Amino acid sequence: MPSSFFSRSPATAEDAPLLHKPALERNHTKLSMLGLAFAILNSWTALSASLSIALPSGGPSAVVWGLVVSGVCNLCLAASLAEFLAEYPTAGGQYHWVAVVSPAEWMPLLSWMCGWINCSGWVFLVATGGSLASQMVVGIASLLDPEYVATPGQMLSVYVAFTVTAFAINVFGSRVLPIFSRFAFIWSVSGVIVISATLLFSSAGTGYQSPSFVFTKFVNHTGWPNGIAWSLGLLQGSLALTGYDAVAHMIEEIPHASREGPKIMIYAVLIGMVTGFGFLLVLLFCMGSIEEVISAPCGPILAIFYHSTGSKTVSICLLIFPLVCLLFGTTTIMTTSSRMLYAFSRDRGLPFSSTFSIIHPKLHVPVNALLLTAVPVLLMGGLYLISTDTLNAFLSASVIALSLSYGFPVAINVFTGRTRLVGTKEGFRMTGWVGWAVNGVGLAFATGVTALFMLPPSVPKTWGDINWSPVVFLGVVIVSTVAWWLEGRGMFVGPRVILIEEGEEGEEEEEED
């Protein structure tokens, strides 16, 4: 293997002393990395927790076919990014790939903007775990006592508990993270099987919905025209399948990165799509009255569990599976976010980069980068005390930011004729019209999802009904632009090359064996 992963570097000659050698330990195996990626997607959990998005916006038809459309399009995006990952396996991911394919005069600025958008998307995404978990815990209380109304402080306490626990596991459990990821994978798949079997068996007495209901029933409670309402239902599938670029940001911690990374990225989306589709079918066939599910105080997922089983105790026990999955997801998302912030700081992309690019000598993790993730997430939780709508704006902004970061390198690669990626013998590469078609579908989807996530879920009637996520995202753009003019323009020259010692790959093979 050559002494470098990369065939070219955007850094200049005087930057040579700053070239990077991987500082993170390669603890992950292929299975543990697949487990980490799947734990981050947590597709069936995200789908069940976000039923309140799609059921009023298109009903069962939007739930089922929206996931199919989102799954196919996300596979196209994942395959498009896998081309880059095969040739440039670096924790920087998208901002590094943008630097590879961008014209030289625009490279630093485009790479900088992509890096900031990607970093903000991952920090915002960490908040989704605690937010969804707080809703599930409140749902349990509402199921036990229909008159119960949660206070903002109670929801905040669950949010903080999830975030702090995820932070502690990341800081003090770096050695066991691969085992943690494998267990998360097993737990998640087991949850799908146990819940599906229980619901199907229990619903034999209460009856199932018809296939026509599951596959064609349309509902529109949004106030939008039917076409827009159904399209908004796509957001559930998009949320459930976002975050697969985690494989790229963790790639420096697995062996045989160029060969295994692209496979893991695509496998994660495929597994998420298949398990999510099967689980949604079970939920819809066992649903009961859709109007009761939509309006249930305990939330759609618990309402379906209770309708099917007739037991509050069994319903709560079943909910433990997605609730624990959310803890796994919050932990692994925080892991990925910290690696992304660490990599971007290593390339001088953030203020105080020298502080956030440090690996703790004893804990062997980027503790400061973990703090840079956890502290803003905890501060965002304070919005519970003001308005949950404002917090939801940050959650929507995470999908907007990640979708745009996926489209960034793919769009530049397409606009430059798909000539910047050379391809390798063992790497993943799409040739001819296949590459153009896959890139085109992925870009169209990323653009459409970005536009849809900026719309409010229903026709706004008051200022409180407005979707504030565009404002949040605009804030990220403004801050990154100001940072560029104040510091980045003189300091940031793009990502540096990661050097691999001769013989290191062979040593990894021996260790893996």
Side-chain angles (χ1 to χ4, degrees):
M1 180 179 177
S3 60
S4 171
F5 268 130
F6 309 118
S7 58
R8 63 180 282 245
S9 167
T12 59
E14 48 270 335
D15 292 317
L18 300 176
L19 299 181
H20 304 306
K21 184 180 187 300
L24 293 165
E25 296 181 346
R26 292 180 182 267
N27 291 326
H28 285 275
T29 64
K30 181 178 179 179
L31 179 59
S32 69
M33 184 57 68
L34 179 61
L36 181 140
F38 185 67
I40 287 174
L41 265 67
N42 249 322
S43 298
W44 72 270
T45 303
L47 288 167
S48 61
S50 58
L51 276 174
S52 57
I53 297 176
L55 286 179
S57 302
S61 65
V63 170
V64 172
W65 300 116
L67 178 61
V68 173
V69 172
S70 296
V72 171
C73 293
N74 271 297
L75 276 175
C76 290
L77 264 179
S80 299
L81 296 180
E83 287 190 294
F84 288 92
L85 184 59
E87 198 163 340
Y88 300 93
T90 169
Q94 292 92 304
Y95 81 85
H96 192 125
W97 303 334
V98 164
V100 170
V101 296
S102 295
E105 63 273 19
W106 290 100
M107 181 274 293
L109 177 59
L110 291 175
S111 180
W112 172 277
M113 295 301 296
C114 184
W116 271 79
I117 290 172
N118 197 204
C119 285
S120 63
W122 276 102
V123 173
F124 294 157
L125 192 63
V126 174
T128 60
S131 177
L132 293 175
S134 65
Q135 293 175 27
M136 284 189 176
V137 172
V138 168
I140 293 174
S142 298
L143 181 66
L144 296 174
D145 178 10
E147 302 298 321
Y148 173 80
V149 178
T151 66
Q154 290 169 334
M155 298 190 72
L156 177 61
S157 64
V158 177
Y159 178 95
V160 169
F162 263 66
T163 304
V164 172
T165 301
F167 175 78
I169 294 172
N170 270 286
V171 171
F172 302 109
S174 63
R175 296 284 187 177
V176 299
L177 273 178
I179 300 174
F180 184 87
S181 299
R182 287 194 290 268
F183 183 73
F185 180 79
I186 295 170
W187 176 271
S188 184
V189 173
S190 299
V192 172
I193 296 172
V194 170
I195 294 175
S196 298
T198 303
L199 294 183
L200 289 173
F201 178 79
S202 300
S203 296
T206 58
Y208 304 106
Q209 288 286 3
S210 66
S212 62
F213 172 87
V214 172
F215 295 105
T216 64
K217 176 68 174 179
F218 178 80
V219 174
N220 182 5
H221 291 177
T222 66
W224 292 108
N226 288 343
I228 295 178
W230 193 91
S231 298
L232 286 171
L234 288 174
L235 300 183
Q236 184 196 29
S238 303
L239 177 64
L241 293 173
T242 203
Y244 44 84
D245 59 311
V247 179
H249 306 312
M250 297 291 294
I251 200 69
E252 294 174 28
E253 297 175 55
I254 66 171
H256 318 298
S258 294
R259 186 172 70 247
E260 301 299 341
K263 297 178 187 176
I264 296 171
M265 181 180 284
I266 294 173
Y267 289 163
V269 178
L270 272 173
I271 296 173
M273 180 182 174
V274 171
T275 55
F277 185 78
F279 187 67
L280 282 179
L281 290 183
V282 171
L283 292 180
L284 294 174
F285 273 111
C286 300
M287 174 176 286
S289 169
I290 186 172
E291 298 300 333
E292 291 180 5
V293 169
I294 291 175
S295 60
C298 61
I301 185 65
L302 262 179
I304 295 173
F305 288 174
Y306 185 51
H307 167 80
S308 180
T309 64
S311 168
K312 294 182 179 181
T313 301
V314 173
S315 299
I316 293 170
C317 288
L318 292 179
L319 194 69
I320 297 299
F321 279 102
L323 197 57
V324 173
C325 281
L326 287 174
L327 178 59
F328 287 141
T330 305
T331 303
T332 50
I333 292 170
M334 185 176 291
T335 304
T336 306
S337 177
S338 67
R339 297 327 189 253
M340 177 64 203
L341 292 168
Y342 159 76
F344 201 39
S345 297
R346 189 174 59 181
D347 290 321
R348 299 180 180 178
L350 294 175
F352 309 106
S353 288
S354 59
T355 299
F356 298 118
S357 60
I358 295 174
I359 301 295
H360 195 282
K362 294 183 179 179
L363 297 173
H364 306 290
V365 292
V367 175
N368 292 339
L370 281 165
L371 285 168
L372 188 58
T373 295
V375 171
V377 170
L378 290 173
L379 292 176
M380 278 188 276
L383 294 171
Y384 272 120
L385 304 177
I386 303 173
S387 169
T388 56
D389 291 332
T390 310
L391 178 62
N392 290 335
F394 282 94
L395 308 186
S396 297
S398 70
V399 181
I400 293 173
L402 290 176
S403 297
L404 284 177
S405 75
Y406 299 159
F408 240 104
V410 179
I412 297 173
N413 191 35
V414 167
F415 292 147
T416 54
R418 283 182 49 85
T419 58
R420 300 297 183 100
L421 289 179
V422 178
T424 62
K425 291 182 179 179
E426 67 172 11
F428 178 85
R429 178 71 170 164
M430 297 180 292
T431 58
W433 67 268
V434 174
W436 286 99
V438 170
N439 288 172
V441 171
L443 283 176
F445 181 72
T447 303
V449 165
T450 300
L452 287 172
F453 260 99
M454 291 188 177
L455 293 175
S458 59
V459 174
K461 300 178 179 62
T462 66
W463 281 103
D465 298 326
I466 293 176
N467 184 355
W468 294 99
S469 58
V471 178
V472 173
F473 181 74
L474 180 62
V476 172
V477 173
I478 291 174
V479 171
S480 61
T481 302
V482 171
W484 168 258
W485 285 103
L486 293 179
E487 183 177 5
R489 188 174 52 158
M491 295 285 293
F492 186 75
V493 296
R496 273 69 168 181
V497 174
I498 296 179
L499 298 178
I500 298 297
E501 298 287 345
E502 290 288 354
E504 184 175 332
E505 193 78 13
E507 292 170 5
E508 288 164 357
E509 292 182 13
E510 293 177 6
E511 291 173 4
E512 188 179 48
D513 294 336

PDB file of all heavy atoms in Angstrom, residues 349-379:
ATOM      1  N   GLY A 349     -10.529  24.233  11.149  1.00  0.00           N
ATOM      2  CA  GLY A 349     -11.812  24.707  10.647  1.00  0.00           C
ATOM      3  C   GLY A 349     -12.688  25.361  11.692  1.00  0.00           C
ATOM      4  O   GLY A 349     -13.707  25.952  11.349  1.00  0.00           O
ATOM      5  N   LEU A 350     -12.314  25.258  12.980  1.00  0.00           N
ATOM      6  CA  LEU A 350     -13.130  25.831  14.050  1.00  0.00           C
ATOM      7  C   LEU A 350     -12.297  26.788  14.896  1.00  0.00           C
ATOM      8  O   LEU A 350     -11.070  26.649  14.961  1.00  0.00           O
ATOM      9  CB  LEU A 350     -13.677  24.720  14.953  1.00  0.00           C
ATOM     10  CG  LEU A 350     -14.690  23.745  14.336  1.00  0.00           C
ATOM     11  CD1 LEU A 350     -15.021  22.640  15.326  1.00  0.00           C
ATOM     12  CD2 LEU A 350     -15.953  24.470  13.900  1.00  0.00           C
ATOM     13  N   PRO A 351     -12.926  27.746  15.560  1.00  0.00           N
ATOM     14  CA  PRO A 351     -12.183  28.580  16.518  1.00  0.00           C
ATOM     15  C   PRO A 351     -11.572  27.704  17.614  1.00  0.00           C
ATOM     16  O   PRO A 351     -12.149  26.683  17.998  1.00  0.00           O
ATOM     17  CB  PRO A 351     -13.269  29.505  17.077  1.00  0.00           C
ATOM     18  CG  PRO A 351     -14.347  29.525  16.042  1.00  0.00           C
ATOM     19  CD  PRO A 351     -14.337  28.169  15.425  1.00  0.00           C
ATOM     20  N   PHE A 352     -10.419  28.103  18.117  1.00  0.00           N
ATOM     21  CA  PHE A 352      -9.701  27.352  19.157  1.00  0.00           C
ATOM     22  C   PHE A 352      -9.448  25.905  18.722  1.00  0.00           C
ATOM     23  O   PHE A 352      -9.614  24.950  19.488  1.00  0.00           O
ATOM     24  CB  PHE A 352     -10.483  27.372  20.483  1.00  0.00           C
ATOM     25  CG  PHE A 352     -10.909  28.738  20.923  1.00  0.00           C
ATOM     26  CD1 PHE A 352     -12.236  29.135  20.819  1.00  0.00           C
ATOM     27  CD2 PHE A 352      -9.985  29.639  21.427  1.00  0.00           C
ATOM     28  CE1 PHE A 352     -12.633  30.397  21.209  1.00  0.00           C
ATOM     29  CE2 PHE A 352     -10.369  30.911  21.835  1.00  0.00           C
ATOM     30  CZ  PHE A 352     -11.698  31.296  21.723  1.00  0.00           C
ATOM     31  N   SER A 353      -9.060  25.760  17.451  1.00  0.00           N
ATOM     32  CA  SER A 353      -8.869  24.433  16.879  1.00  0.00           C
ATOM     33  C   SER A 353      -7.854  23.607  17.644  1.00  0.00           C
ATOM     34  O   SER A 353      -7.999  22.385  17.784  1.00  0.00           O
ATOM     35  CB  SER A 353      -8.440  24.550  15.410  1.00  0.00           C
ATOM     36  OG  SER A 353      -9.511  24.981  14.612  1.00  0.00           O
ATOM     37  N   SER A 354      -6.803  24.247  18.143  1.00  0.00           N
ATOM     38  CA  SER A 354      -5.773  23.501  18.855  1.00  0.00           C
ATOM     39  C   SER A 354      -6.327  22.842  20.123  1.00  0.00           C
ATOM     40  O   SER A 354      -5.804  21.820  20.574  1.00  0.00           O
ATOM     41  CB  SER A 354      -4.603  24.424  19.220  1.00  0.00           C
ATOM     42  OG  SER A 354      -5.048  25.498  20.040  1.00  0.00           O
ATOM     43  N   THR A 355      -7.390  23.426  20.677  1.00  0.00           N
ATOM     44  CA  THR A 355      -8.011  22.849  21.879  1.00  0.00           C
ATOM     45  C   THR A 355      -8.890  21.661  21.538  1.00  0.00           C
ATOM     46  O   THR A 355      -8.868  20.628  22.226  1.00  0.00           O
ATOM     47  CB  THR A 355      -8.859  23.915  22.597  1.00  0.00           C
ATOM     48  OG1 THR A 355      -8.010  24.997  23.001  1.00  0.00           O
ATOM     49  CG2 THR A 355      -9.550  23.329  23.823  1.00  0.00           C
ATOM     50  N   PHE A 356      -9.653  21.770  20.460  1.00  0.00           N
ATOM     51  CA  PHE A 356     -10.627  20.726  20.137  1.00  0.00           C
ATOM     52  C   PHE A 356     -10.039  19.595  19.290  1.00  0.00           C
ATOM     53  O   PHE A 356     -10.740  18.631  18.998  1.00  0.00           O
ATOM     54  CB  PHE A 356     -11.828  21.348  19.428  1.00  0.00           C
ATOM     55  CG  PHE A 356     -12.562  22.346  20.277  1.00  0.00           C
ATOM     56  CD1 PHE A 356     -12.649  23.679  19.895  1.00  0.00           C
ATOM     57  CD2 PHE A 356     -13.136  21.959  21.471  1.00  0.00           C
ATOM     58  CE1 PHE A 356     -13.314  24.604  20.678  1.00  0.00           C
ATOM     59  CE2 PHE A 356     -13.814  22.878  22.272  1.00  0.00           C
ATOM     60  CZ  PHE A 356     -13.902  24.206  21.878  1.00  0.00           C
ATOM     61  N   SER A 357      -8.790  19.701  18.895  1.00  0.00           N
ATOM     62  CA  SER A 357      -8.156  18.643  18.108  1.00  0.00           C
ATOM     63  C   SER A 357      -7.223  17.779  18.955  1.00  0.00           C
ATOM     64  O   SER A 357      -6.350  17.097  18.435  1.00  0.00           O
ATOM     65  CB  SER A 357      -7.376  19.246  16.935  1.00  0.00           C
ATOM     66  OG  SER A 357      -6.365  20.126  17.411  1.00  0.00           O
ATOM     67  N   ILE A 358      -7.418  17.816  20.271  1.00  0.00           N
ATOM     68  CA  ILE A 358      -6.564  17.054  21.195  1.00  0.00           C
ATOM     69  C   ILE A 358      -7.215  15.707  21.510  1.00  0.00           C
ATOM     70  O   ILE A 358      -8.419  15.635  21.783  1.00  0.00           O
ATOM     71  CB  ILE A 358      -6.334  17.841  22.507  1.00  0.00           C
ATOM     72  CG1 ILE A 358      -5.538  19.127  22.232  1.00  0.00           C
ATOM     73  CG2 ILE A 358      -5.628  16.980  23.542  1.00  0.00           C
ATOM     74  CD1 ILE A 358      -5.399  20.018  23.453  1.00  0.00           C
ATOM     75  N   ILE A 359      -6.416  14.649  21.462  1.00  0.00           N
ATOM     76  CA  ILE A 359      -6.841  13.337  21.936  1.00  0.00           C
ATOM     77  C   ILE A 359      -6.330  13.158  23.364  1.00  0.00           C
ATOM     78  O   ILE A 359      -5.141  13.331  23.617  1.00  0.00           O
ATOM     79  CB  ILE A 359      -6.295  12.207  21.041  1.00  0.00           C
ATOM     80  CG1 ILE A 359      -6.782  12.375  19.604  1.00  0.00           C
ATOM     81  CG2 ILE A 359      -6.698  10.840  21.594  1.00  0.00           C
ATOM     82  CD1 ILE A 359      -8.272  12.220  19.450  1.00  0.00           C
ATOM     83  N   HIS A 360      -7.224  12.846  24.298  1.00  0.00           N
ATOM     84  CA  HIS A 360      -6.815  12.680  25.693  1.00  0.00           C
ATOM     85  C   HIS A 360      -5.814  11.538  25.800  1.00  0.00           C
ATOM     86  O   HIS A 360      -6.065  10.425  25.313  1.00  0.00           O
ATOM     87  CB  HIS A 360      -8.033  12.396  26.561  1.00  0.00           C
ATOM     88  CG  HIS A 360      -7.782  12.561  28.024  1.00  0.00           C
ATOM     89  ND1 HIS A 360      -7.127  11.608  28.781  1.00  0.00           N
ATOM     90  CD2 HIS A 360      -8.090  13.573  28.881  1.00  0.00           C
ATOM     91  CE1 HIS A 360      -7.052  12.008  30.025  1.00  0.00           C
ATOM     92  NE2 HIS A 360      -7.625  13.209  30.124  1.00  0.00           N
ATOM     93  N   PRO A 361      -4.664  11.764  26.417  1.00  0.00           N
ATOM     94  CA  PRO A 361      -3.598  10.752  26.431  1.00  0.00           C
ATOM     95  C   PRO A 361      -3.955   9.467  27.173  1.00  0.00           C
ATOM     96  O   PRO A 361      -3.412   8.407  26.866  1.00  0.00           O
ATOM     97  CB  PRO A 361      -2.433  11.476  27.117  1.00  0.00           C
ATOM     98  CG  PRO A 361      -3.077  12.568  27.920  1.00  0.00           C
ATOM     99  CD  PRO A 361      -4.273  12.986  27.133  1.00  0.00           C
ATOM    100  N   LYS A 362      -4.867   9.544  28.137  1.00  0.00           N
ATOM    101  CA  LYS A 362      -5.225   8.348  28.910  1.00  0.00           C
ATOM    102  C   LYS A 362      -6.562   7.749  28.469  1.00  0.00           C
ATOM    103  O   LYS A 362      -6.716   6.534  28.427  1.00  0.00           O
ATOM    104  CB  LYS A 362      -5.276   8.677  30.400  1.00  0.00           C
ATOM    105  CG  LYS A 362      -3.911   9.038  30.995  1.00  0.00           C
ATOM    106  CD  LYS A 362      -4.020   9.282  32.498  1.00  0.00           C
ATOM    107  CE  LYS A 362      -2.651   9.612  33.090  1.00  0.00           C
ATOM    108  NZ  LYS A 362      -2.733   9.879  34.555  1.00  0.00           N
ATOM    109  N   LEU A 363      -7.516   8.612  28.125  1.00  0.00           N
ATOM    110  CA  LEU A 363      -8.837   8.123  27.736  1.00  0.00           C
ATOM    111  C   LEU A 363      -8.899   7.749  26.258  1.00  0.00           C
ATOM    112  O   LEU A 363      -9.808   7.040  25.825  1.00  0.00           O
ATOM    113  CB  LEU A 363      -9.897   9.183  28.043  1.00  0.00           C
ATOM    114  CG  LEU A 363     -10.048   9.541  29.524  1.00  0.00           C
ATOM    115  CD1 LEU A 363     -10.993  10.714  29.692  1.00  0.00           C
ATOM    116  CD2 LEU A 363     -10.544   8.339  30.317  1.00  0.00           C
ATOM    117  N   HIS A 364      -7.961   8.276  25.456  1.00  0.00           N
ATOM    118  CA  HIS A 364      -7.841   7.957  24.032  1.00  0.00           C
ATOM    119  C   HIS A 364      -9.070   8.371  23.223  1.00  0.00           C
ATOM    120  O   HIS A 364      -9.432   7.718  22.248  1.00  0.00           O
ATOM    121  CB  HIS A 364      -7.558   6.461  23.832  1.00  0.00           C
ATOM    122  CG  HIS A 364      -6.368   5.965  24.599  1.00  0.00           C
ATOM    123  ND1 HIS A 364      -5.076   6.332  24.269  1.00  0.00           N
ATOM    124  CD2 HIS A 364      -6.281   5.147  25.684  1.00  0.00           C
ATOM    125  CE1 HIS A 364      -4.234   5.745  25.115  1.00  0.00           C
ATOM    126  NE2 HIS A 364      -4.934   5.036  25.981  1.00  0.00           N
ATOM    127  N   VAL A 365      -9.712   9.441  23.626  1.00  0.00           N
ATOM    128  CA  VAL A 365     -10.839  10.000  22.886  1.00  0.00           C
ATOM    129  C   VAL A 365     -10.685  11.521  22.865  1.00  0.00           C
ATOM    130  O   VAL A 365     -10.020  12.103  23.736  1.00  0.00           O
ATOM    131  CB  VAL A 365     -12.198   9.631  23.526  1.00  0.00           C
ATOM    132  CG1 VAL A 365     -12.466   8.145  23.399  1.00  0.00           C
ATOM    133  CG2 VAL A 365     -12.270  10.073  24.978  1.00  0.00           C
ATOM    134  N   PRO A 366     -11.309  12.200  21.895  1.00  0.00           N
ATOM    135  CA  PRO A 366     -11.255  13.663  21.858  1.00  0.00           C
ATOM    136  C   PRO A 366     -12.234  14.275  22.863  1.00  0.00           C
ATOM    137  O   PRO A 366     -13.347  14.664  22.507  1.00  0.00           O
ATOM    138  CB  PRO A 366     -11.642  13.990  20.407  1.00  0.00           C
ATOM    139  CG  PRO A 366     -12.506  12.853  19.991  1.00  0.00           C
ATOM    140  CD  PRO A 366     -11.989  11.641  20.711  1.00  0.00           C
ATOM    141  N   VAL A 367     -11.828  14.346  24.112  1.00  0.00           N
ATOM    142  CA  VAL A 367     -12.718  14.783  25.196  1.00  0.00           C
ATOM    143  C   VAL A 367     -13.228  16.198  24.947  1.00  0.00           C
ATOM    144  O   VAL A 367     -14.418  16.495  25.160  1.00  0.00           O
ATOM    145  CB  VAL A 367     -11.991  14.707  26.557  1.00  0.00           C
ATOM    146  CG1 VAL A 367     -12.873  15.289  27.662  1.00  0.00           C
ATOM    147  CG2 VAL A 367     -11.631  13.263  26.887  1.00  0.00           C
ATOM    148  N   ASN A 368     -12.361  17.092  24.491  1.00  0.00           N
ATOM    149  CA  ASN A 368     -12.787  18.475  24.266  1.00  0.00           C
ATOM    150  C   ASN A 368     -13.818  18.560  23.144  1.00  0.00           C
ATOM    151  O   ASN A 368     -14.763  19.357  23.205  1.00  0.00           O
ATOM    152  CB  ASN A 368     -11.574  19.348  23.935  1.00  0.00           C
ATOM    153  CG  ASN A 368     -10.648  19.506  25.122  1.00  0.00           C
ATOM    154  OD1 ASN A 368     -11.048  19.314  26.263  1.00  0.00           O
ATOM    155  ND2 ASN A 368      -9.395  19.845  24.869  1.00  0.00           N
ATOM    156  N   ALA A 369     -13.652  17.736  22.117  1.00  0.00           N
ATOM    157  CA  ALA A 369     -14.638  17.704  21.035  1.00  0.00           C
ATOM    158  C   ALA A 369     -15.961  17.127  21.524  1.00  0.00           C
ATOM    159  O   ALA A 369     -17.040  17.542  21.077  1.00  0.00           O
ATOM    160  CB  ALA A 369     -14.105  16.896  19.857  1.00  0.00           C
ATOM    161  N   LEU A 370     -15.889  16.180  22.447  1.00  0.00           N
ATOM    162  CA  LEU A 370     -17.111  15.655  23.050  1.00  0.00           C
ATOM    163  C   LEU A 370     -17.829  16.736  23.860  1.00  0.00           C
ATOM    164  O   LEU A 370     -19.060  16.845  23.822  1.00  0.00           O
ATOM    165  CB  LEU A 370     -16.779  14.459  23.947  1.00  0.00           C
ATOM    166  CG  LEU A 370     -16.543  13.129  23.226  1.00  0.00           C
ATOM    167  CD1 LEU A 370     -15.867  12.128  24.149  1.00  0.00           C
ATOM    168  CD2 LEU A 370     -17.858  12.559  22.699  1.00  0.00           C
ATOM    169  N   LEU A 371     -17.055  17.552  24.578  1.00  0.00           N
ATOM    170  CA  LEU A 371     -17.652  18.672  25.307  1.00  0.00           C
ATOM    171  C   LEU A 371     -18.279  19.682  24.359  1.00  0.00           C
ATOM    172  O   LEU A 371     -19.338  20.250  24.650  1.00  0.00           O
ATOM    173  CB  LEU A 371     -16.592  19.356  26.179  1.00  0.00           C
ATOM    174  CG  LEU A 371     -16.177  18.612  27.452  1.00  0.00           C
ATOM    175  CD1 LEU A 371     -14.932  19.251  28.057  1.00  0.00           C
ATOM    176  CD2 LEU A 371     -17.330  18.598  28.462  1.00  0.00           C
ATOM    177  N   LEU A 372     -17.627  19.892  23.218  1.00  0.00           N
ATOM    178  CA  LEU A 372     -18.145  20.833  22.230  1.00  0.00           C
ATOM    179  C   LEU A 372     -19.461  20.335  21.631  1.00  0.00           C
ATOM    180  O   LEU A 372     -20.239  21.131  21.100  1.00  0.00           O
ATOM    181  CB  LEU A 372     -17.112  21.055  21.124  1.00  0.00           C
ATOM    182  CG  LEU A 372     -17.417  22.155  20.105  1.00  0.00           C
ATOM    183  CD1 LEU A 372     -17.593  23.509  20.788  1.00  0.00           C
ATOM    184  CD2 LEU A 372     -16.317  22.232  19.051  1.00  0.00           C
ATOM    185  N   THR A 373     -19.702  19.044  21.711  1.00  0.00           N
ATOM    186  CA  THR A 373     -20.992  18.497  21.302  1.00  0.00           C
ATOM    187  C   THR A 373     -22.000  18.558  22.436  1.00  0.00           C
ATOM    188  O   THR A 373     -23.127  19.041  22.261  1.00  0.00           O
ATOM    189  CB  THR A 373     -20.834  17.029  20.848  1.00  0.00           C
ATOM    190  OG1 THR A 373     -20.028  16.976  19.670  1.00  0.00           O
ATOM    191  CG2 THR A 373     -22.191  16.404  20.556  1.00  0.00           C
ATOM    192  N   ALA A 374     -21.614  18.073  23.611  1.00  0.00           N
ATOM    193  CA  ALA A 374     -22.564  17.909  24.717  1.00  0.00           C
ATOM    194  C   ALA A 374     -23.070  19.239  25.273  1.00  0.00           C
ATOM    195  O   ALA A 374     -24.267  19.372  25.570  1.00  0.00           O
ATOM    196  CB  ALA A 374     -21.916  17.083  25.830  1.00  0.00           C
ATOM    197  N   VAL A 375     -22.181  20.217  25.424  1.00  0.00           N
ATOM    198  CA  VAL A 375     -22.588  21.478  26.055  1.00  0.00           C
ATOM    199  C   VAL A 375     -23.651  22.212  25.223  1.00  0.00           C
ATOM    200  O   VAL A 375     -24.694  22.619  25.767  1.00  0.00           O
ATOM    201  CB  VAL A 375     -21.358  22.375  26.316  1.00  0.00           C
ATOM    202  CG1 VAL A 375     -21.802  23.768  26.760  1.00  0.00           C
ATOM    203  CG2 VAL A 375     -20.461  21.739  27.371  1.00  0.00           C
ATOM    204  N   PRO A 376     -23.462  22.411  23.889  1.00  0.00           N
ATOM    205  CA  PRO A 376     -24.538  23.048  23.110  1.00  0.00           C
ATOM    206  C   PRO A 376     -25.841  22.264  23.134  1.00  0.00           C
ATOM    207  O   PRO A 376     -26.927  22.845  23.146  1.00  0.00           O
ATOM    208  CB  PRO A 376     -23.955  23.113  21.689  1.00  0.00           C
ATOM    209  CG  PRO A 376     -22.483  23.071  21.862  1.00  0.00           C
ATOM    210  CD  PRO A 376     -22.263  22.193  23.057  1.00  0.00           C
ATOM    211  N   VAL A 377     -25.753  20.926  23.146  1.00  0.00           N
ATOM    212  CA  VAL A 377     -26.971  20.112  23.192  1.00  0.00           C
ATOM    213  C   VAL A 377     -27.717  20.340  24.507  1.00  0.00           C
ATOM    214  O   VAL A 377     -28.946  20.472  24.523  1.00  0.00           O
ATOM    215  CB  VAL A 377     -26.630  18.617  23.009  1.00  0.00           C
ATOM    216  CG1 VAL A 377     -27.844  17.744  23.301  1.00  0.00           C
ATOM    217  CG2 VAL A 377     -26.132  18.363  21.586  1.00  0.00           C
ATOM    218  N   LEU A 378     -26.980  20.398  25.607  1.00  0.00           N
ATOM    219  CA  LEU A 378     -27.613  20.675  26.897  1.00  0.00           C
ATOM    220  C   LEU A 378     -28.233  22.068  26.914  1.00  0.00           C
ATOM    221  O   LEU A 378     -29.327  22.265  27.464  1.00  0.00           O
ATOM    222  CB  LEU A 378     -26.591  20.534  28.022  1.00  0.00           C
ATOM    223  CG  LEU A 378     -26.117  19.103  28.308  1.00  0.00           C
ATOM    224  CD1 LEU A 378     -24.970  19.122  29.320  1.00  0.00           C
ATOM    225  CD2 LEU A 378     -27.270  18.248  28.833  1.00  0.00           C
ATOM    226  N   LEU A 379     -27.556  23.035  26.322  1.00  0.00           N
ATOM    227  CA  LEU A 379     -28.112  24.391  26.257  1.00  0.00           C
ATOM    228  C   LEU A 379     -29.382  24.423  25.407  1.00  0.00           C
ATOM    229  O   LEU A 379     -30.341  25.130  25.744  1.00  0.00           O
ATOM    230  CB  LEU A 379     -27.062  25.356  25.680  1.00  0.00           C
ATOM    231  CG  LEU A 379     -25.841  25.624  26.565  1.00  0.00           C
ATOM    232  CD1 LEU A 379     -24.839  26.502  25.836  1.00  0.00           C
ATOM    233  CD2 LEU A 379     -26.259  26.268  27.887  1.00  0.00           C
TER     234      LEU A 379
END
